[in-house]
């Protein structure tokens, strides 16, 4: 009975649960912000869980981190200044640092303990922090963006947890307004935007807020990530007024990107075809997000 209460009462996914077999609990801790758990699963490798919600697994993290980083960065030529919001595991930094044009990467993660746990248990993600272009800010991103200089960034990537707990404000209008202010004209935002099967209302709300704020373009893309609820995750891609951005046709080809990366790990999920395909929407979603 208690099990049912815990598993089926998550406000983000009421009435459903996804199970992974736990081979071994590797870490259990509580930070100032959330409960942190790392376990070894039988099929998906090590898994990071915050407040009972899966953040990543070793097997499928490539799909999420590669798409959330390369969808925006391959859509503009020569991105130089990038902000990552959340992403304390380091996986998005690892992907951003594949781009040779990037000169400066700020990351604003609220919870230092996530960074420490990732360094210990997920070195293949935490490696992202070792790039000398990375500048770490341990802070609440809402506060960080309020103070960010106007027009500083070419791209902002919001790799945040779901909007329960510390990430609540990260889906609200004032937060998007501060992002738009921090972007240069024609700068781009890529925001984790939940599941089209489960959160169409949240997606609709975020799209309508972003259409008011981002005067360039607003697009929705998605990818398959088996360990996220319903097995898919969405990305909202927006640009500010300025040089137009055609998100569906990447300007930086992956071939060029990989050429600069021969010593790093190969891309597993992202390429130019996956990029364009990610913007294809099924009719039910297209109807519901008619703004697109
Ligand atoms: N890279 C995939 C993992 C994540 S982690 C999301 C991170 O956002 C967490 O480390 C969390 O501490 C951080 N975070 C939450 N709120 C804030 C905030 N207000 N300011 C800065 N960082 C924050 C994403 C998983 C996506 C899961 C989809 N279901």
């Amino acid at each position: 009975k208690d099990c049912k209460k815990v598993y089926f009462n998550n406000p983000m996914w009421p009435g459903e649960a996804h199970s992974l077999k736990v081979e071994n609990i590797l870490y259990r801790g509580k930070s100032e912000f959330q409960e942190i758990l790392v376990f070894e699963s039988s099929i998906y490798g090590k898994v990071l869980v915050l407040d009972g919600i899966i953040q990543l697994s070793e097997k499928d993290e490539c799909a999420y981190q590669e798409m959330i980083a390369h969808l925006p960065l391959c859509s503009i030529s020569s991105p130089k200044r990038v902000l990552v919001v959340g992403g304390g595991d380091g996986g998005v930094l690892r992907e951003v640092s594949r781009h040779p044009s990037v000169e400066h990467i700020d990351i604003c993660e609220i919870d230092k303990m996530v960074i420490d746990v990732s360094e210990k248990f997920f070195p293949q993600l935490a490696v992202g922090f070792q790039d000398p272009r990375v500048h770490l800010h341990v802070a609440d991103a809402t506060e960080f963006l309020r103070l960010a200089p106007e027009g500083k960034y070419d791209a902002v990537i919001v790799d945040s947890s779901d909007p329960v707990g510390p990430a609540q404000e990260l889906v609200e209008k004032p937060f998007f307004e501060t992002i738009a202010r921090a972007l240069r004209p024609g700068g781009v935002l890529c925001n984790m935007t939940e599941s089209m099967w489960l959160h169409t209302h949240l997606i609709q709300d975020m799209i309508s807020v972003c259409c008011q704020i981002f005067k360039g373009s607003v697009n929705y893309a998605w990818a398959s990530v088996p360990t996220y609820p319903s097995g898919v995750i969405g990305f909202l891609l927006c640009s500010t007024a300025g040089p137009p951005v055609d998100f569906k046709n990447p300007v930086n080809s992956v071939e060029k990107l990989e050429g600069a990366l021969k010593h790093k790990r190969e891309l597993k999920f992202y390429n130019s075809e996956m990029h364009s395909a990610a913007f294809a929407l099924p009719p039910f979603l297209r109807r519901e997000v008619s703004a697109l």
Side-chain angles (χ1 to χ4, degrees):
K1 205 172 154 205
D2 277 353
C3 232
K4 273 193 195 153
K5 237 195 237 160
V6 173
Y7 284 117
F8 296 118
N9 276 355
N10 186 299
M12 288 297 295
W13 307 281
E16 68 178 279
H18 173 210
S19 317
L20 293 184
K21 187 171 180 210
V22 177
E23 292 294 342
N24 199 1
I25 303 243
L26 301 172
Y27 178 85
R28 208 194 272 267
K30 194 164 169 37
S31 75
E32 198 187 323
F33 303 98
Q34 50 211 346
E35 277 173 25
I36 304 178
L37 170 74
V38 179
F39 69 88
E40 181 74 48
S41 67
S42 23
I43 306 287
Y44 286 89
K46 278 181 253 168
V47 181
L48 173 68
V49 183
L50 298 178
D51 280 346
I53 300 174
I54 291 181
Q55 305 294 303
L56 63 91
S57 85
E58 284 182 314
K59 187 180 168 83
D60 64 6
E61 57 89 8
C62 58
Y64 176 79
Q65 333 268 15
E66 290 179 17
M67 292 298 270
I68 202 171
H70 303 310
L71 286 175
L73 296 183
C74 289
S75 296
I76 52 174
S77 55
S78 301
K80 290 191 175 59
R81 288 171 307 275
V82 179
L83 169 64
V84 177
V85 168
D89 51 76
V92 173
L93 294 176
R94 179 191 72 206
E95 295 305 319
V96 173
S97 64
R98 289 181 190 271
H99 288 258
S101 65
V102 170
E103 294 167 357
H104 185 100
I105 311 168
D106 283 324
I107 174 165
C108 177
E109 162 63 56
I110 202 168
D111 196 344
K112 175 75 166 64
M113 205 187 265
V114 174
I115 299 170
D116 297 341
V117 166
S118 184
E119 256 158 28
K120 181 146 183 228
F121 296 101
F122 300 94
Q124 74 285 17
L125 285 95
V127 67
F129 282 98
Q130 286 168 18
D131 190 292
R133 295 168 292 178
V134 170
H135 302 262
L136 170 64
H137 309 266
V138 177
D140 185 332
T142 53
E143 191 59 26
F144 182 84
L145 272 152
R146 262 199 293 273
L147 303 172
E150 207 174 317
K152 175 170 181 185
Y153 299 107
D154 298 295
V156 174
I157 297 170
V158 181
D159 173 24
S160 72
S161 27
D162 303 286
V164 278
Q168 188 106 44
E169 285 179 65
L170 307 189
V171 293
E172 290 166 10
K173 192 172 178 188
F175 181 64
F176 289 112
E177 284 169 339
T178 58
I179 292 178
R181 216 185 115 268
L183 282 169
R184 64 150 165 90
V188 293
L189 160 68
C190 183
N191 204 104
M192 187 281 283
T193 310
E194 301 297 348
S195 156
M196 62 174 155
W197 293 112
L198 307 173
H199 305 114
T200 32
H201 291 300
L202 178 63
I203 296 169
Q204 274 171 327
D205 288 350
M206 288 171 74
I207 288 174
S208 87
V209 162
C210 286
C211 283
Q212 291 164 36
I213 296 170
F214 292 89
K215 296 300 181 193
S217 58
V218 176
N219 294 265
Y220 189 79
W222 60 282
S224 151
V225 183
T227 57
Y228 286 162
S230 86
V232 297
I233 196 86
F235 308 101
L236 200 51
L237 286 131
C238 308
S239 65
T240 53
V245 179
D246 177 7
F247 284 110
K248 296 177 189 174
N249 294 298
V251 291
N252 291 327
S253 72
V254 73
E255 294 74 16
K256 194 168 131 202
L257 200 63
E258 279 179 325
L261 291 169
K262 41 185 185 292
H263 302 302
K264 301 209 176 158
R265 48 174 254 155
E266 287 192 342
L267 287 162
K268 283 194 197 154
F269 194 86
Y270 177 91
N271 62 24
S272 301
E273 275 180 300
M274 294 298 281
H275 181 127
S276 295
F279 292 89
L281 303 185
F284 88 87
L285 183 63
R286 193 168 285 285
R287 278 193 293 273
E288 300 208 40
V289 297
S290 49
L292 300 175

